[in-house]
Amino acid sequence: MTTLLPFLIQLMGLRDPHAERHADHVAELALKLGKVLGLKTDELELLHVAASIHDIGKMAINEFVINKPGHFTEAEYIMVQQHAQIGASLVKTLDIDPSIHSIILNHHENFDGTGYPHGEKGDEIPLGARIIRIADTYDALTSNRGYRAAYSHKKSLEIMERDAQFFDPTLLDLFFKNVARKH
Ligand SMILES: [Fe+2]
Ligand SMILES: [Fe+2]
């Protein structure tokens, strides 16, 4: 599976110019957090694959919506949210560990149950998805978006602290202390 990863990441990059850097950076941050947590080599390997292709479902979403240089309308946001389920279905066609499907499916679930697609909460959300939720948010905040410039490291951590209910508190604490780096 890992031999397919560079190919899949390149494909994602054809649709969205930021996708390759985002995939690599989320995978790097997720692995760092996984190592701090003491995950085993095979668990880290699964986490690396899942983090690298967590947004693969965006390939099925309208290109103009994905790359829109402004805020989404409500209808567009509903469309974008479908990427979690689409991504999970797509990877089901690959001969990979089923935990990767559920990590991709759940990577936008919030710890307090306010996320999507199913409003899972707490430990109902797979550990890998809780890790990626944090890495994904940090990378999104510290990156330029069509509608805003990148936030600084400090401001990004402030926003994540303000929204702490979305994240596993133990993981967030470990991320703040051991993973997040100054930009
Ligand atoms: Fe996503
Ligand atoms: Fe993402």
Side-chain angles (χ1 to χ4, degrees):
M1 175 59 205
T2 40
T3 52
L4 263 183
L5 275 186
F7 170 71
L8 293 173
I9 293 171
Q10 269 191 57
L11 275 185
M12 293 191 288
L14 294 177
R15 292 297 309 282
D16 169 2
H18 305 293
E20 290 177 78
R21 196 209 51 79
H22 178 63
D24 288 341
H25 199 209
V26 171
E28 183 191 326
L29 293 168
L31 271 190
K32 281 185 183 165
L33 186 50
K35 282 180 187 163
V36 171
L37 267 175
L39 296 186
K40 299 190 202 93
T41 312
D42 55 334
E43 294 169 321
L44 290 171
E45 180 61 35
L46 290 179
L47 182 62
H48 179 241
V49 173
S52 300
I53 56 173
H54 70 279
D55 277 333
I56 197 163
K58 284 190 178 173
M59 293 186 67
I61 310 294
N62 184 292
E63 192 171 350
F64 297 102
V65 174
I66 289 291
N67 297 316
K68 185 179 175 181
H71 288 287
F72 297 130
T73 64
E74 207 176 318
E76 287 166 347
Y77 187 49
I78 289 168
M79 207 187 278
V80 171
Q81 286 183 338
Q82 291 171 350
H83 80 276
Q85 279 163 307
I86 294 171
S89 313
L90 274 177
V91 301
K92 265 190 183 162
T93 61
L94 295 168
D95 181 23
I96 52 172
D97 191 293
S99 68
I100 294 178
H101 317 147
S102 66
I103 292 175
I104 292 175
L105 179 67
N106 289 292
H107 80 274
H108 282 284
E109 294 289 8
N110 290 334
F111 202 73
D112 65 356
T114 60
Y116 65 83
H118 298 306
E120 305 282 8
K121 59 181 164 191
D123 294 346
E124 293 165 3
I125 307 165
L127 176 64
R130 280 180 271 144
I131 291 174
I132 290 173
R133 186 80 182 86
I134 290 172
D136 192 22
T137 302
Y138 179 78
D139 183 61
L141 290 169
T142 53
S143 302
N144 290 314
R145 282 286 183 267
Y147 52 89
R148 62 151 171 84
Y151 291 118
S152 67
H153 166 80
K154 187 168 171 277
K155 178 73 182 164
S156 300
L157 292 194
E158 279 170 16
I159 293 171
M160 289 176 77
E161 228 164 5
R162 184 197 68 198
D163 296 338
Q165 71 277 11
F166 297 159
F167 311 108
D168 180 321
T170 309
L171 297 181
L172 190 64
D173 192 49
L174 286 173
F175 182 81
F176 281 177
K177 288 181 179 152
N178 299 286
V179 181
R181 293 273 183 273
K182 294 203 169 181
H183 282 252

